[in-house]
Amino acid sequence: MLLSDASFVIVDVETTGLSAVNNRITEIGLVRLERGKITESYESLINPEQYISPFITQHTGITNAMVYNKPKFADVLPDIKSFFDKSGSPIFVGHNVKFDHGFVVESFNRVGQHFQPASPSDLLCTCRLARKLLPKLRSKSLANVQAYFGIKNARQHRALGDAEATAKILGQFIGMADELEIETLEDFLRLQFAKNNYSRRKSTRELSLREKVRTLPHRPGVYTMTSADGTVLYVGKSKNLHDRVGSYFSESNTAGTKLARMMRAVCDITYEETGSELSALLLESKKIKEFNPRFNSMDRLYKPQSFLRLSLDEAFPQLTFSREPAQDGGEYFGPFKSRDAAEALLEILNRAFKLRKCGEKFRIGLDVQPCIYRDIKLCDAPCALLQSKDEYAAEVKRLQEFLAAGDEGILAHVEDMMTSAADRLDFEEAQFFKVRLLELKRVLGSGERPSASISSNDFVILNPLVGEASACQECEIYFVRFGQLMKQMVLGAGHIAIAEQWFARQLRLYYGPTSSIPTTAGRPEIDEMRILTRWVEQKREKGSRIVYIEENWERSVTKLVGELRSIFGGNAPIEESQSLPNTNSAKREKRLKLKPMKA
């Protein structure tokens, strides 16, 4: 099983003592972690039917009075079993997992039940992982590991507070495992027992590479690892080349992992410095597609993307799920973060808008018998001429306006639908929208796209490049058309004087009525689209400025110039004689021309 598909249940218990046989649980906290996010939690105080000593009360804050009228373990057992059963076969996680697992197993045994969900091979200890992944951290206690990652826990030594903190720590460790090229759950579980490389003797080759790594800059860039015959083994990116590449030679890298096997084959490391993390992300993506390195996981790189397609090439359009956009007359919406997001939204749209659901069998005529969707009021049967083409077109326009609201607008619309259904006393419909709203909030996140439509996904990214003096003298400009990168350049503070003229020329070229439309998007283009979309969603923390191009692109020129002036502090020097960079210069790498993926 891939690590990204695994489900974890993080458990923390507070008890009357240290012995699972002689002592009892006073509080239990459960947290579910899926795809790196907390999706559900549960907590309950439990009457231990046993005296809680003042020492334990001082440690946990749980008193005998607090648990006196609380349920016994047998009473909360159905809730605990249900929580585990929802994940199928989850991994049982704890910080010092043997302690928490031991108490849960013994508590089940006392009431004549057998604890099924976790065998010893399905236990994951974040304390053990901390020993492997954070070797320089002196103490691996929960409080120390929390502090290392900057995780705040207002309810220290309470079950749910500690379980949530452990879940966040596990999320950090999963990210670190990704950097170690650990892709499967099995390898991740083995990591907690892997041996460190402290006593391994270093070869001349490794010592030479270590010396080379010490000269790498503390700047963003892309690094390439090659074998003795020049074969590219791995391509990676980093915000700090020196620290990232240096981490490959850390003594904590454990034997038996994919990373350890790769480092035994590496004979040379080269790098290419970029202006920013975004440039590094895009360059890394291109290089991986070009060289197809052995140790880069292509399946992980080409993450499945999800779109919704509105078939505007038909007289009566329908909305369907699609893996990739194409120039086929349809309008595409996305990319969404996951298939779950696209399908949850599709289910809402099918319920809220009366578009036909029948596929290739769609036929129009007075002799056509309407299907069940007419009976349940999800379609007005244009096939039987019970709905005119103009009426159907009006419904399609409503749908387009809904999706044009973008991620945040979609959530607001669904919330309005839920409220309207409740006002009509249609509580079943309101509950449907409530459940789907929670699902969409989980899978859509907090994106700020003004429109989910690719044909409206036109914007310019202005990404400040801050130098060592912390003063911005250069700015990366990315022109994005239909979600795809069309052009990338760097402007200096001295270009302000001619920026308006230059922006007008670029917008006319890429967003004007005669501009070319990007070719069919295959897996490489969709991956680039994913990188740009994710960057836009995180623009606040990344410090970038995003200007969305209006239908009348001339209006966007003023916004772009204003943002550029703001980036340079409003006091950028004006040098009339300075010309803009030559985009055809040999010093700047040309974008790779990637062919669309065949169906």
Side-chain angles (χ1 to χ4, degrees):
M1 178 189 290
L2 289 176
L3 181 56
S4 58
D5 296 332
S7 177
F8 302 91
V9 172
I10 297 85
V11 182
D12 189 88
V13 296
E14 302 301 333
T15 66
T16 60
L18 299 178
S19 171
V21 176
N22 300 320
N23 300 117
R24 303 292 187 269
I25 296 175
T26 58
E27 186 178 38
I28 188 167
L30 307 175
V31 172
R32 193 185 323 282
L33 189 77
E34 295 175 332
R35 299 183 185 276
K37 294 184 178 180
I38 294 175
T39 59
E40 190 177 0
S41 61
Y42 170 85
E43 70 173 327
S44 177
L45 284 167
I46 297 173
N47 185 341
E49 302 179 84
Q50 194 176 77
Y51 178 70
I52 301 175
S53 69
F55 175 78
I56 295 296
T57 296
Q58 184 178 9
H59 182 71
T60 66
I62 299 174
T63 65
N64 289 287
M66 289 171 62
V67 299
Y68 181 73
N69 290 321
K70 296 303 178 182
K72 300 174 183 177
F73 187 85
D75 300 323
V76 300
L77 185 143
D79 293 335
I80 296 172
K81 290 181 68 174
S82 174
F83 194 94
F84 275 91
D85 291 343
K86 286 181 184 178
S87 296
S89 300
I91 303 301
F92 188 112
V93 184
H95 200 80
N96 189 9
V97 70
K98 285 187 176 181
F99 178 86
D100 301 287
H101 182 253
F103 267 93
V104 172
V105 169
E106 285 296 331
S107 298
F108 268 71
N109 290 341
R110 280 191 201 98
V111 294
Q113 297 282 336
H114 181 62
F115 184 65
Q116 293 283 357
S119 64
S121 61
D122 292 330
L123 300 181
L124 183 62
C125 182
T126 52
C127 186
R128 280 186 174 273
L129 285 176
R131 294 190 189 112
K132 304 300 175 184
L133 298 173
L134 305 175
K136 295 182 179 179
L137 188 64
R138 180 170 296 180
S139 169
K140 309 305 187 295
S141 69
L142 181 62
N144 276 20
V145 180
Q146 283 175 195
Y148 178 86
F149 288 117
I151 295 170
K152 296 181 179 180
N153 182 3
R155 302 181 65 197
Q156 197 83 25
H157 300 305
R158 293 298 300 269
L160 186 59
D162 286 353
E164 289 176 341
T166 304
K168 292 174 183 177
I169 289 169
L170 177 60
Q172 294 286 344
F173 287 155
I174 290 173
M176 295 173 74
D178 183 70
E179 294 182 351
L180 288 170
E181 293 297 314
I182 293 174
E183 301 167 8
T184 67
L185 175 62
E186 293 72 20
D187 285 344
F188 189 58
L189 292 174
R190 279 196 291 268
L191 177 63
Q192 58 187 325
F193 302 108
K195 294 181 180 179
N196 289 333
N197 293 328
Y198 295 120
S199 59
R200 184 176 60 83
R201 185 176 181 180
K202 299 171 182 60
S203 65
T204 304
R205 171 190 59 82
E206 184 176 343
L207 291 172
S208 175
L209 288 174
R210 285 172 177 264
E211 286 299 321
K212 188 171 186 176
V213 167
R214 290 191 180 97
T215 66
L216 265 58
H218 294 269
R219 297 281 297 161
V222 174
Y223 54 93
T224 304
M225 296 183 174
T226 55
S227 63
D229 62 358
T231 302
V232 175
L233 298 175
Y234 185 80
V235 174
K237 58 86 183 62
S238 177
K239 293 184 290 186
N240 187 316
L241 284 167
H242 182 277
D243 292 349
R244 179 67 189 98
V245 181
S247 70
Y248 286 98
F249 299 93
S250 169
E251 300 292 352
S252 65
N253 288 339
T254 50
T257 63
K258 184 177 178 181
L259 172 62
R261 295 194 300 272
M262 180 183 77
M263 293 309 296
R264 285 198 296 269
V266 172
C267 288
D268 192 20
I269 301 175
T270 58
Y271 70 94
E272 186 171 344
E273 193 174 333
T274 60
S276 69
E277 184 185 359
L278 177 55
S279 292
L281 284 165
L282 294 168
L283 181 58
E284 177 200 35
S285 177
K286 293 171 189 175
K287 283 183 173 288
I288 291 174
K289 294 158 195 165
E290 179 183 1
F291 296 113
N292 191 16
R294 170 186 164 193
F295 287 96
N296 283 99
S297 173
M298 300 306 289
D299 289 338
R300 187 178 60 183
L301 172 69
Y302 291 123
K303 294 180 180 178
Q305 297 300 310
S306 303
F307 298 84
L308 296 181
R309 179 183 183 272
L310 186 62
S311 57
L312 296 179
D313 53 330
E314 299 178 299
F316 293 91
Q318 64 175 332
L319 191 68
T320 56
F321 174 83
S322 177
R323 272 298 181 200
E324 59 186 58
Q327 292 184 35
D328 54 9
E331 182 174 7
Y332 287 83
F333 301 88
F336 296 100
K337 290 183 177 180
S338 66
R339 181 162 188 155
D340 290 344
E343 290 182 342
L345 181 57
L346 181 60
E347 187 176 2
I348 288 174
L349 297 175
N350 282 335
R351 188 112 166 204
F353 299 92
K354 297 181 179 181
L355 268 60
R356 66 184 182 90
K357 280 76 178 174
C358 44
E360 298 176 356
K361 297 180 180 179
F362 181 68
R363 186 171 65 87
I364 302 175
L366 291 171
D367 60 332
V368 174
Q369 182 68 29
C371 65
I372 190 174
Y373 289 111
R374 164 72 174 178
D375 298 333
I376 60 177
K377 298 180 180 180
L378 294 182
C379 178
D380 285 338
C383 56
L385 302 179
L386 298 178
Q387 183 183 31
S388 70
K389 188 174 181 180
D390 289 342
E391 289 171 336
Y392 193 92
E395 190 72 0
V396 170
K397 186 174 182 181
R398 283 184 59 232
L399 171 65
Q400 289 175 300
E401 290 174 349
F402 178 94
L403 288 169
D407 290 354
E408 290 187 347
I410 287 172
L411 296 174
H413 275 309
V414 176
E415 191 166 0
D416 289 343
M417 291 176 182
M418 178 183 68
T419 304
S420 298
D423 291 342
R424 298 193 307 269
L425 303 183
D426 189 346
F427 299 115
E428 181 180 350
E429 186 82 352
Q431 180 64 19
F432 168 82
F433 286 122
K434 179 181 179 180
V435 172
R436 289 296 171 268
L437 180 62
L438 293 173
E439 174 69 7
L440 282 174
K441 284 181 177 179
R442 181 177 70 84
V443 295
L444 284 181
S446 56
E448 295 184 349
R449 289 179 295 180
S451 174
S453 173
I454 289 179
S455 59
S456 302
N457 207 3
D458 300 338
F459 55 88
V460 176
I461 301 174
L462 296 93
N463 194 38
L465 302 180
V466 180
E468 294 181 359
S470 299
C472 181
Q473 295 298 318
E474 289 185 320
C475 180
E476 288 180 330
I477 312 293
Y478 300 85
F479 294 94
V480 180
R481 174 71 162 157
F482 289 3
Q484 297 184 41
L485 180 62
M486 303 301 293
K487 186 174 185 176
Q488 173 185 346
M489 287 190 64
V490 176
L491 298 186
H495 296 131
I496 284 290
I498 50 178
E500 183 172 353
Q501 175 188 352
W502 182 76
F503 274 125
R505 186 165 65 247
Q506 303 305 315
L507 265 58
R508 184 184 301 109
L509 177 62
Y510 295 111
Y511 307 97
T514 59
S515 62
S516 60
I517 297 175
T519 57
T520 302
R523 289 169 72 186
E525 288 78 16
I526 292 175
D527 183 60
E528 189 175 78
M529 194 183 299
R530 174 183 61 83
I531 292 171
L532 292 166
T533 302
R534 184 170 178 79
W535 186 272
V536 169
E537 290 172 351
Q538 299 174 342
K539 68 173 186 177
R540 283 196 182 96
E541 61 184 80
K542 300 297 185 181
S544 296
R545 314 287 180 91
I546 313 296
V547 174
Y548 293 96
I549 306 304
E550 301 179 30
E551 188 173 351
N552 183 359
W553 58 264
E554 289 94 340
R555 297 176 184 173
S556 302
V557 174
T558 304
K559 291 183 181 178
L560 287 165
V561 175
E563 290 289 358
L564 194 63
R565 283 190 177 278
S566 175
I567 287 171
F568 291 137
N571 299 314
I574 298 177
E575 301 177 13
E576 300 271 357
S577 60
Q578 186 170 355
S579 60
L580 287 160
N582 181 3
T583 57
N584 296 321
S585 171
K587 294 182 179 180
R588 298 198 62 81
E589 180 181 350
K590 294 182 180 179
R591 295 185 68 237
L592 297 174
K593 294 183 178 179
L594 302 170
K595 295 181 180 179
M597 184 186 74
K598 294 182 180 179

